[in-house]
C-alpha cells in the first residue's frame, strides 16, 4: 500500500517517460502530438509540485499539514476503546496515529469473522457505514453503485477494503499529493491506488472500525 505517485519514483522514471513522449510526438501527426504534449504537461506539473489536483474529482485534496504532530501522533486522541468487528486495537492505534506508509497485513479483513458476517447479513438495498476509528465520523459507505459481492470481490483481489469515489464521505476524507488517504482529523486510512476504473481507495479495516459518535 505504499503510494504509487511518490516524488522519488517520478524522479527516477520521468526522464525515460519524457524521452519516449518526445520521440512519439515527432513521429505522429499534429492531433496525436497535441494529446501527447498534454500528457507531458501533466507529468511536468506533478513533478514540479504545481499540480494541485493530481487525482481527478470528486477526490478532495488536502494539505500535508493535516498530518502534523498532535497530542497523539497525527491525531488528537487515540482510537476508540471498543472498535467494531473486534479488530485489534493496538494495531489500529499504531496504523492510524503513528504511521504514514505501512498497513495491516494483506488480507487482514478476511480474518475478521464479525466483519464478514456483517457483509453477508447486509440486505441488498442497504450499505455499511465505515467510521473513523479515532473520532467516529463517517468516512466510507459500501456498497454504492455496485453489489456487496462486487465490493468484497474487489477487496479480496487487492488485499484491503477497496472503495470508489462514490463511496467516500468527502466532508471527512482528504487525499494528499502522494496518494495517502487520511481523515480531516489526521487519521491515516490508506492510499489511493488508481486503476483503469479510476481512483481506488485501499483502506485499512482497523482505521475505519470506529463507532459513530452522537
Amino acid at each position: 500500500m505504499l503510494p504509487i505517485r511518490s516524488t522519488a519514483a517520478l524522479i527516477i522514471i520521468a526522464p525515460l517517460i519524457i524521452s519516449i513522449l518526445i520521440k512519439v510526438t515527432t513521429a505522429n501527426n499534429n492531433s496525436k502530438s497535441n494529446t501527447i504534449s498534454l500528457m507531458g504537461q501533466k507529468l511536468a506539473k506533478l513533478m514540479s509540485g504545481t499540480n494541485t489536483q493530481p487525482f481527478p474529482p470528486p477526490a478532495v485534496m488536502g494539505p500535508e499539514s493535516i498530518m502534523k504532530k498532535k497530542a497523539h501522533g497525527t491525531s488528537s486522541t487515540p482510537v476508540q476503546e471498543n472498535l467494531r468487528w473486534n479488530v485489534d486495537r493496538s494495531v489500529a492505534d499504531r496504523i492510524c496515529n503513528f504511521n504514514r506508509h505501512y498497513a495491516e497485513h494483506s488480507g487482514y479483513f478476511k480474518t475478521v469473522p464479525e466483519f464478514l458476517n456483517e457483509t453477508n447479513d447486509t440486505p441488498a438495498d442497504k450499505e455499511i457505514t465505515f467510521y473513523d476509528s479515532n473520532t467516529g465520523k463517517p468516512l466510507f459507505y459500501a456498497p454504492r453503485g455496485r453489489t456487496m459481492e462486487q465490493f468484497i470481490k474487489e477487496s479480496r483481489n487487492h488485499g484491503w477494503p477497496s472503495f470508489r469515489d462514490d463511496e467516500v464521505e468527502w466532508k471527512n476524507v482528504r487525499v494528499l499529493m502522494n496518494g495517502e488517504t487520511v481523515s480531516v482529523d489526521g487519521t491515516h486510512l490508506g492510499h489511493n491506488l488508481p486503476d483503469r476504473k479510476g481512483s481506488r481507495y485501499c483502506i485499512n479495516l482497523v482505521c475505519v472500525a470506529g463507532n459513530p459518535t452522537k
Side-chain angles (χ1 to χ4, degrees), residues 8-25:
L10 284 171
I11 290 174
I12 294 173
I13 68 172
L16 176 60
I17 294 176
I18 291 173
S19 175
I20 293 172
L21 291 176
I22 292 172
K23 290 179 180 179
V24 175
T25 298

Side-chain angles (χ1 to χ4, degrees), residues 113-129:
E114 292 88 344
F115 172 68
L116 297 179
N117 289 340
E118 183 168 346
T119 64
N120 290 330
D121 295 340
T122 300
D125 61 340
K126 301 295 182 181
E127 60 190 21
I128 297 175
T129 301

Side-chain angles (χ1 to χ4, degrees), residues 134-194:
N134 285 322
T135 67
K137 292 180 180 179
L139 301 176
F140 301 95
Y141 311 94
R144 282 191 175 178
R146 55 179 170 172
T147 65
M148 182 67 78
E149 181 180 1
Q150 291 170 327
F151 167 67
I152 293 298
K153 180 179 180 180
E154 181 172 56
S155 298
R156 286 181 180 276
N157 288 342
H158 295 289
W160 290 269
S162 297
F163 301 91
R164 295 294 176 171
D165 283 325
D166 291 343
E167 296 172 322
V168 184
E169 178 52 81
W170 289 112
K171 178 176 65 177
N172 299 323
V173 175
R174 295 291 183 269
V175 182
L176 305 189
M177 289 294 290
N178 65 356
E180 182 181 5
T181 303
V182 303
S183 79
V184 294
D185 298 291
T187 308
H188 173 83
L189 304 174
H191 288 86
N192 181 11
L193 304 177

